[in-house]
Amino acid sequence: IPARCFADLRAGGALCTVLKVGLESAQAHCIPVAELSGADRSKGAVKKHGIVMHDVMKALYFTGQALCPRIFISPMLGSATLSKLKSIAARHQGGVVDDPTTATHIVDAGAPVVLPAGVEPGAVAAAAAAH
């Protein structure tokens, strides 16, 4: 669930949808609400959480409170990189668009890369080469 959904405190907003659909889904699947807040990581508990989260995300997409990512990938990138990025986008339920003005994310060959504090550029290149 996108973090911005938890900041939408309006009546009928995204947080309201998350709570409403989460509780309705738990009730429909006979999942006690107390089980959803527990730290149980057994296979059954994870499956129950997955069912509820799937229902919540479906409702957020349906109401337009969450958007599927639309990614513009610069044609300046190589074809191997392009196909790899397209498969990553598909795996995360994102779509690739041809127009950067309609994109929610832009991957550009000339964009500067910002590294977290303490991370050396050589370490990033070595990690990328290992994959």
Side-chain angles (χ1 to χ4, degrees):
I1 299 174
R4 64 181 159 76
C5 290
F6 293 100
D8 185 1
L9 303 176
R10 296 174 291 129
L15 181 59
C16 185
T17 301
V18 167
L19 295 172
K20 177 182 174 244
V21 173
L23 292 173
E24 287 175 353
S25 176
Q27 185 178 23
H29 296 290
C30 300
I31 302 169
V33 176
E35 282 188 26
L36 296 176
S37 64
D40 184 13
R41 296 290 179 227
S42 67
K43 192 173 187 175
V46 171
K47 185 176 180 181
K48 290 175 186 177
H49 282 89
I51 291 169
V52 173
M53 289 299 113
H54 175 19
D55 290 346
V56 167
M57 285 305 299
K58 195 165 58 169
L60 289 171
Y61 287 132
F62 181 75
T63 59
Q65 294 167 328
L67 301 174
C68 292
R70 295 179 308 275
I71 302 142
F72 171 77
I73 302 172
S74 172
M76 295 174 59
L77 297 170
S79 62
T81 305
L82 183 68
S83 65
K84 184 185 278 190
L85 291 173
K86 282 184 177 181
S87 70
I88 291 170
R91 191 170 51 228
H92 292 280
Q93 286 80 36
V96 177
V97 296
D98 296 328
D99 183 17
T101 59
T102 63
T104 58
H105 299 74
I106 296 176
V107 180
D108 189 6
V113 177
V114 179
L115 298 175
V119 176
E120 295 295 322
V124 173
H131 290 290

